[in-house]
Amino acid sequence: MTGVALATRGLYKSFGALRVTQDVNFTLPAGARHALIGPNGAGKTTFINLLTGALPPDAGTIELDGVDITGLPPDRRVKRGLARTYQINTLFPDLTPLEAVTLVMCERHGVSRQWLRPLARSRAIIEEAYALLVQLGIGDFAHRQTRHLAYGHQRVLEIALALATRPHVLLLDEPAAGVPAQESGMLYEVISGLPKDIAVLFIEHDMDLVFRFASRITVLVSGKTLREGPPAAIAEDAEVRAVYLGTPVHD
Amino acid sequence: MTAAEPARDSAPAPSAVADFRAQARWQWYEPLFWLGAIAWYFLLPTYLPLGTQILATALFALSLDLILGYGGIVSLGHTTFFGVGAYTAGLLARYGWQEPISCLVAAGLLAAFAGWICSFVIVRVQGIALLLVTLGINLVLYEAANKAYKITGGADGLQGIEFSPLLGMFHFDMLGRTAYLYTLIVVFLVFLVARRIVYSPFGLALRGMRENWKRMPALGAGLRRHGALIFVLSAAIAGIAGALLAESVQFVALDSLAVQRSVDVLTMLIVGGTGVLYGSFVGAVVYMVARDQLADLNPAYWYFWIGLMLVLVVLFTRNGVVGALADSAAWVQRKRGRGPAP
Amino acid sequence: MPPIVIGIVQVLFDGVAFGMLLFVMSVGLSITLGMMRFANLAHGSFAMLGGYTTTTLMRHAGWSFLATLPVSFVLIAAVSVVLERVLYRRMYQAKELDQVLLTVGIIYMSIAGAAYVWGPEPQAISLPDYLTVYRTVGWFSFSTYGALLLAVGTVLTLAIFFGLERTRFGAMIRAAVDDRRVALGVGIDVNRVFTITFAVGSGLAGLGGALGINALGLDPSFPIEYLVFFLIVVSIGGTAGSVKGALAAALLLGLSDTAGKYYIPQTGAFIIYVVMLLVMLWRPNGLFGRA
Ligand SMILES: Nc1ncnc2c1ncn2[C@@H]1O[C@H](COP(=O)(O)OP(=O)(O)OP(=O)(O)O)[C@@H](O)[C@H]1O
Ligand SMILES: [Mg+2]
């Protein structure tokens, strides 16, 4: 797959008087590793919510693989290969990781509304789910209730759920949020090890990680795109340094 | 945690499937439970009508458990479907179709249809609005049945209905023997279906809806279609429960559509325990036996104890009687020092 | 005047009076729901208790009707604070279902308790003479009791809006309803604001229950009977604590209920329920709710 995976044109969103997204024109090439950075409250999460359809934009269009998906409900976008993770864990506390990933795979294989067939008979799906957990390194915890998992493993499960939908565009909202520094590096190893045909857009506050893993960076400030470019150019940019890198990240 | 690393243990893959098999396996107490229901027939011959009511009501509670305990959708008007089933069977009999089993099927189908219609409204709303919508549908139907007294008998209920002998052989006798066994068999069969639903892929999707409604669409789940399906299934079961009761008491009370009954069945389910299949049965037994024993009590006072029970259950138990039993079983196991790994 | 005009004026008069009463009774529920996301279905129990306070004082202590009203307000406000401290407070983070069950449990207990103490029969009070007469202005005649409802309802409604829009405390309430976390952030003691709001809201329910005894009726089933009305007001008005929405919804409800009873009595409450369902379908977050 070559060309543009995801693109927005003239995207706007306000909450009352607060303008959170203003005229964002954004392009994500297929297979990209793209970082979205910006101060707290810049509108990064809102941008992802617009992309996934969790929020309707006030104006503008969103295209996935060249098809306008602006009016599609979230679940239909997922079926077209757009998946996301959440900044704050949004998991299924009482399900085991195996159950949760199996649930997602059942949705993808279109068997989730089979109501008379025992789930255990969907052997291939369950094994695929388990293999994904093993691949991401949390196979040992597959049978434990999510609520009892260590926080770091829950973060990996966030990604596992998104991957289980077999996306080719993956939106990661601060995947390493709250994970201790040494572990967050490992988390990003997992991310960079993802198949090359998946385009990844990730939000990240840790600049080391951003510069290590991103091939391109977009800086969002007050809902507007301030700069976009390769890491080297962004690091050099005076204005970016002033509004963002220069001032300490107020966390 | 490296993705590049090859899937190192591919051997345990079969154990993954075993998880789901183990869940669906019959537990030791399940045959005991149903044997108990058969024993009731022989040991408590004078309580057969009560037993029949308990069984039908438990089935009704089970239908609510599917949407509430498994799907996480709170309904304050579930008796809508119970009432549709009861009136379907009752009206069919009144206007000349008295074969009980086909009445049961018709009741289930019509209730399912009602569930399908309602689902369009219900899956759109959440929170207080959901409470109000389910309550509202219930109220509208109650008023309609009340006002259409020429057909439904209004507040007097649907009287003087009779059903022909079961399979042309077994009369619905005065002692309620036929009714009890018939109800027990139907409830058992429908329970088997509900059990299959719970352990099916759709059952897993339902638990996902309960655990995290918001995340589901972001994983590709069409909540509206899921909601429609569970409402159809649940309503069908509630309708069958309503028809069973109508057939065994040969009467349909307007009460079967009263909001009070929706709240009663919710109470039973909560007291028994949600999302554990047998909670509805335990709740129905506790609730109805207690009410039967306290029958001399003014019904107004009976509700004081029900209210107190609700408050206590919410404040102090994790999941009703079944939850409390499971907790104490786990506690005993831990005491013996051979508890399951945490 | 042609009878049709007289009829319309009559419906308007009674409907607005009823609507105001409903608003006064349910505004507390609307605000506290918006602030804490806590669904207190037992709100009607407070109203009922207010009614019984008045009947008891009149019967057994020989108080006059008007004198009992402030007592109902204060007593119910006090009772509600106790309940909030002991029970409700621990439920704010709980699942919605648990909130429903707890408050339904309280409804049941209050119903049984009322039946035990005051008996199951409907209570009627003999209003003072000056409230039972009919006055005529030109061609229009109205009961003084209806006029009292209308007057008290209007005064309280104005007071509520003044309190919310023009006072410091009102601004704190609005901030807390708008966004609890932000309010906490700017140093508002949301818990205290909530307790006071809850007390005043419950007191108003009690006052409304007392004031409306002869219009709404009073018997142990009151909390359930009027639960639907309260829910309609808060949900059609918007569950985000919109007070203007609640007022509009209450007036709409009062007018349509009165008009229904006047023009098509045989349909009973049917119309209201159907209208409510249609509104909920059309705007699930209420007519004035935020998306
Ligand atoms: N649903 C909402 N309603 C009202 N305001 C909102 C809503 N969601 C976000 N906001 C506001 O919009 C602004 C942008 O929020 P957003 O979560 O998109 O920022 P962000 O860039 O992800 O910040 P962070 O780095 O802290 O995650 C914030 O001021 C936030 O308070
Ligand atoms: Mg964010």
Side-chain angles (χ1 to χ4, degrees), chain A residues 15 18 20 38-47 55 87 173-174 205:
Chain A
F15 296 115
L18 185 69
V20 190
N40 290 108
K44 305 180 295 293
T45 300
T46 303
F47 182 58
L55 289 172
Q87 183 172 352
D173 194 349
E174 301 195 28
H205 279 301

Side-chain angles (χ1 to χ4, degrees), chain B residues 121 125 127-129 131-133 136 139-140 143 147 260 263-264 270 300-301 303-304 306-308 310-311 314-315, chain C residues 39 87 90-91 96 98 100-102 104-105 108-109 112 115-116 228 231 235 239 266 270 273 276-277 280-281 284:
Chain B
V121 190
V125 291
I128 286 273
L131 297 182
L132 197 70
V133 165
L139 286 167
V140 166
E143 286 295 329
K147 291 294 185 302
Q260 185 75 56
V263 181
D264 282 351
I270 295 307
Y301 307 147
Y303 274 105
F304 181 84
I306 292 292
L308 188 63
L310 271 177
V311 171
V314 171
L315 290 181
Chain C
L87 277 184
R90 52 176 94 188
M91 302 300 292
E96 189 170 90
D98 283 341
V100 167
L101 295 169
L102 183 88
V104 165
Y108 277 176
M109 288 164 74
Y116 182 77
V228 185
L231 285 178
S235 60
T239 44
Q266 64 280 9
F270 196 71
Y273 300 150
M276 170 199 87
L277 271 182
M280 296 306 301
L281 253 187

